[in-house]
Amino acid sequence: VGVSGIHRRAARRTFRVRVSGPRAAADSSAPRPADSASAEIVGPLKNVASSDSLSPLGSAQGVGVLLLIEWALKLAFKRCGWRFPPALAGMIGIFFGMLLLRRLAPRKADFVMVKFEKTNNFLGKWLAVMFCPILVTVPLSAAPPVADVRKLAIVTVAGLLISLVSTAFFSLLLGKASGQELDEKSISQTKPTPWKPTVRDCLPFAVGWIAFTGLSAVFPQAHAPVVLGSLSATLLGFSAAQRFPKRVKAVAHPLIIAALSAGAAIAMLGTATGRGWKTLLAGYLTRGKAPLPGAGDLLAALLGPA
């Protein structure tokens, strides 16, 4: 009887402590229906993300899969005589395919999304530099007429305004359709963190630029050192410019710095090989007109998967 009385008194004290605790802590620790539903999804995702042994799909493998899909669609459209962008068709197909997979097997859809997370981060990080080849080869193009420049400016401004309005409209439309309207807090939480590479991240590109420039001087007729040297310089300029302060990047965009560094590297390679900078600049972006691709062709090839 004494032992049972002690247990009853201890139980009452424990109950009083639990009841008189902080209300917010009790409310926050209590499982809500939404939290329990999200926990059922987040739990397997954490296990999948942490376990790299389950057939990991890194960024290189993911890009390879997307390139294979684009190549297959391009071949199929060519045989059918269709003039539709294969990258756009692949994006639409993947979108609706993931919606169908989400409806049929949610866990498999989560597994695919987690495995392609590295690929998404890789393509999002280097997306801007994929447009660099067009800027690098600007010196080879003739100056456009003034009328064309005015039309281009009008189209650019109008396209920007239409893109902003249409993006806002479809975002609100999708939010209402899914029952989750966006507010300022949710929008601020979905903003991606800016990528700021370290010196260690930029060092391999600098070493590659110097090494391949030296190899091009030793083997002036070799194609690989010129391509890899100009590619390393492009990526070095883009990575180094990402470390600039925001005020500096507002004036000197990383894309412009990458184009300037690529142009300087091509000039150095032209001097080292004795072939001239115009010849090497023409080989930077060949668009399939040359038997061997240039550094710009390698970057532009990633635009489809992106």
Side-chain angles (χ1 to χ4, degrees):
V1 174
V3 172
S4 61
I6 292 174
H7 284 309
R8 284 196 298 271
R9 287 193 295 272
R12 284 195 295 269
R13 283 197 299 270
T14 305
F15 177 76
R16 284 196 298 270
V17 170
R18 288 179 179 176
V19 171
S20 61
R23 196 72 178 178
D27 293 339
S28 62
S29 62
R32 294 183 298 235
D35 294 341
S36 61
S38 61
E40 294 178 358
I41 299 177
V42 174
L45 284 179
K46 288 183 177 180
N47 296 331
V48 171
S50 60
S51 60
D52 294 332
S53 60
L54 299 175
S55 64
L57 188 62
S59 58
Q61 293 173 328
V63 172
V65 170
L66 296 177
L67 283 172
L68 183 62
I69 294 174
E70 184 189 12
W71 175 79
L73 290 174
K74 185 183 297 184
L75 187 62
F77 289 174
K78 187 177 180 180
R79 288 185 177 181
C80 297
W82 297 345
R83 293 186 177 181
F84 192 80
L88 182 59
M91 182 184 67
I92 296 173
I94 290 175
F95 177 74
F96 286 103
M98 289 300 298
L99 286 180
L100 181 61
L101 185 62
R102 171 74 64 185
R103 184 61 64 99
L104 298 178
R107 290 181 181 273
K108 291 184 179 180
D110 294 335
F111 182 84
V112 173
M113 290 180 63
V114 169
K115 289 305 177 182
F116 271 91
E117 185 178 0
K118 292 182 179 179
T119 304
N120 295 336
N121 295 334
F122 173 79
L123 294 175
K125 182 171 64 176
W126 296 104
L127 179 61
V129 79
M130 299 174 194
F131 297 93
C132 186
I134 301 176
L135 294 178
V136 175
T137 55
V138 164
L140 296 177
S141 58
V146 180
D148 293 342
V149 174
R150 292 176 182 174
K151 292 179 182 178
L152 181 61
I154 294 173
V155 169
T156 302
V157 174
L160 179 62
L161 295 177
I162 293 173
S163 177
L164 291 175
V165 173
S166 61
T167 302
F169 173 75
F170 282 109
S171 298
L172 294 175
L173 185 63
L174 291 176
K176 291 181 179 179
S178 61
Q180 298 177 356
E181 296 187 2
L182 297 177
D183 53 0
E184 294 182 359
K185 185 178 180 180
S186 60
I187 292 175
S188 62
Q189 291 176 354
T190 56
K191 288 182 179 179
T193 56
W195 174 55
K196 189 175 183 180
T198 60
V199 177
R200 183 178 297 180
D201 296 332
C202 302
L203 186 60
F205 302 131
V207 173
W209 178 23
I210 297 172
F212 290 120
T213 302
L215 286 176
S216 64
V218 178
F219 304 99
Q221 299 300 323
H223 182 71
V226 175
V227 173
L228 296 177
S230 55
L231 179 62
S232 300
T234 306
L235 299 179
L236 174 62
F238 183 77
S239 303
Q242 292 287 348
R243 295 178 52 84
F244 292 169
K246 291 184 178 180
R247 295 180 179 179
V248 178
K249 285 197 291 186
V251 180
H253 193 273
L255 184 60
I256 299 176
I257 301 300
L260 293 176
S261 62
I266 291 172
M268 293 178 60
L269 289 169
T271 304
T273 58
R275 289 188 278 175
W277 69 274
K278 282 190 176 182
T279 303
L280 297 185
L281 186 61
Y284 185 85
L285 183 62
T286 62
R287 301 181 185 272
K289 297 179 182 179
L292 296 176
D297 297 316
L298 299 178
L299 292 174
L302 297 177
L303 276 175

